Amino acid sequence: MTGGSRMLTLGVETSCDETAVAVLEDGFTVRSNLIAAQEHLHERFGGVVPEVAARAHVEALNPLLEQALTEAGARFSDLGTVACTVGPGLVGALLVGMAAAKTVALATGARFVGVNHLEGHIWANFLAHGPPEPPYVCLVVSGGHTMLVHMPEVHRYELLGQTLDDAAGEAFDKVARLLGLGFPGGPALDRLAREGDPAAVRFPRSMADSGDLDFSMSGLKTAVLRHVKQEQAAGRAIPAADLAASFQEAIVDVQVTKTIEAARRTGVERVLMGGGVVANTRLRERLVTDGASAGFEVLVPPLSLCTDNAAMVACLGAARLERGDRSGLDIAADPNLPLAL
Ligand code: KG4
Ligand code: ZN
């Protein structure tokens, strides 16, 4: 089997510590979606080391490209479009994926389109649930970003609020580290929290009543640290599951409240979630149920499309190209590329 009349889109994603390649047919049907994770390389440093990430992308990318095409039953000559993340992200990591993607486009004559990683996280929803029907409010929560955006029409985004300090994923990772859960800590903290009591410790709901749609994580992080020190000083054992569940509840509470408030203010009926932290069990549960009680339909991508992947990049790239957004091969990586311009 081959791709036929060049309807295949190759997606390449290397913005952080996941090397990812996907092949999509007609922009929405996933033929292959592969990820080479590097967590084991960064674990001992307690965070992603940019230079280590870039080198690992170099090693992983070519074999992954070959494998993605093989699994898709396709050849390079079947590719009509090559889509690649150009930002935001680690510049050295982005450059590795971009160099490979541009080379494939140049060698095969496929059209090249550079895409925004954060918009990719939003498009994971459309890949899973079908083409967009705006308007939406989107909660984007990842390792590097926490923001609420209004999407009044396709490819248009208005920033409603964002974190003033740490991203939600960063807060999960830092508290997980404090609890000795390794890196990245979000998934481990999520698992541990399932066995804990979310009401065990009442941590502050930072900025819940600020009247705007911004977030802050630093107060919560400090409160968790202070609590751990107090308990240790008093010689009490810290029930890690309760602590994890209580921290998670505080962070989820604020995100759910503000997202529903954003939907009310903008008058939309549908809410989307995107980014690695959307893999969080409690956040998914709470936003879907609380959103429904408040009269909103909440769409959530499947777990495999929440964290970084190239299928979302290919889906977005195909849609962007359809409306004429082709990029030149001289397009530069932009580590701080904003979603809403
Ligand atoms: O979107 P993503 O894969 O990469 C970035 O673009 O940053 O997000 C990664 C972040 C990490 O901080 C990770 O700990 C967090 O998402 N994360 C989670 C869960 N799964 C991933 N946080 C909480 N609960 C989870 N289940
Ligand atoms: Zn991401």
Side-chain angles (χ1 to χ4, degrees):
M1 181 179 63
T2 70
S5 55
R6 284 195 161 227
M7 296 303 283
L8 299 187
T9 303
L10 178 75
V12 177
E13 155 64 47
T14 62
S15 66
C16 192
D17 63 338
E18 256 103 23
T19 318
V21 181
V23 177
L24 262 60
E25 186 180 333
D26 296 326
F28 284 96
T29 308
V30 179
R31 283 233 198 148
S32 62
N33 184 20
L34 303 179
I35 298 173
Q38 315 174 354
E39 282 159 12
H40 56 291
L41 298 176
H42 303 285
E43 194 166 12
R44 68 194 163 110
F45 302 108
V48 177
V49 183
E51 182 62 19
V52 173
R55 280 165 186 260
H57 287 312
V58 170
E59 278 176 26
L61 200 48
N62 279 352
L64 210 63
L65 262 171
E66 295 278 353
Q67 201 186 335
L69 284 170
T70 306
E71 279 195 20
R75 297 171 305 212
F76 277 109
S77 57
D78 296 323
L79 300 173
T81 303
V82 177
C84 180
T85 302
V86 297
L90 304 170
V91 70
L94 288 165
L95 286 173
V96 176
M98 287 175 68
K102 286 175 180 182
T103 306
V104 173
L106 185 66
T108 61
R111 298 161 302 181
F112 180 73
V113 59
V115 305
N116 183 307
H117 180 78
L118 300 173
E119 190 180 14
H121 276 306
I122 292 173
W123 276 72
N125 287 280
F126 308 133
L127 176 56
H129 304 298
E133 290 173 29
Y136 300 100
V137 152
C138 320
L139 171 69
V140 181
V141 271
S142 70
H145 293 83
T146 294
M147 52 172 70
L148 275 166
V149 291
H150 179 214
M151 177 178 163
E153 49 191 72
V154 178
H155 302 308
R156 239 188 81 205
Y157 304 94
E158 293 159 0
L159 184 65
L160 300 170
Q162 63 186 327
T163 180
L164 305 177
D165 37 60
D166 283 355
E170 257 177 302
F172 267 99
D173 292 339
K174 285 177 181 171
V175 170
R177 197 172 173 192
L178 189 71
L179 298 177
L181 299 177
F183 172 84
L189 195 145
D190 182 352
R191 278 192 299 277
L192 182 63
R194 281 178 220 153
E195 293 146 33
D197 174 9
V201 190
R202 175 81 192 172
F203 286 123
R205 270 55 177 163
S206 308
M207 306 208 25
D209 307 315
S210 59
D212 55 29
L213 296 168
D214 287 332
F215 302 88
S216 169
M217 314 286 160
S218 63
L220 173 58
K221 215 177 49 194
T222 312
V224 176
L225 188 62
R226 200 181 311 122
H227 178 82
V228 169
K229 283 191 175 155
Q230 266 168 10
E231 295 298 289
Q232 278 170 343
R236 286 190 287 265
I238 301 163
D242 285 351
L243 206 61
S246 301
F247 156 77
Q248 180 177 267
E249 200 64 13
I251 208 165
V252 166
D253 244 359
V254 180
Q255 287 186 0
V256 170
T257 309
K258 295 222 172 195
T259 306
I260 292 174
E261 178 58 21
R264 283 210 180 99
R265 287 191 195 181
T266 48
V268 305
E269 289 173 359
R270 286 190 217 100
V271 172
L272 304 177
M273 299 163 80
V277 181
V278 177
N280 184 264
T281 318
R282 188 69 179 144
L283 179 61
R284 295 165 78 89
E285 256 172 33
R286 283 281 311 275
L287 198 53
V288 171
T289 50
D290 291 20
S293 319
F296 302 106
E297 186 190 350
V298 180
L299 297 181
V300 192
L303 285 180
S304 62
L305 296 179
C306 288
T307 40
D308 289 350
N309 66 87
M312 68 185 193
V313 170
C315 178
L316 167 60
R320 283 241 169 222
L321 206 113
E322 187 122 310
R323 65 159 220 179
D325 280 353
R326 191 170 171 170
S327 308
L329 291 180
D330 57 350
I331 189 174
D334 184 347
N336 302 311
L337 188 66
L339 173 62
L341 289 170

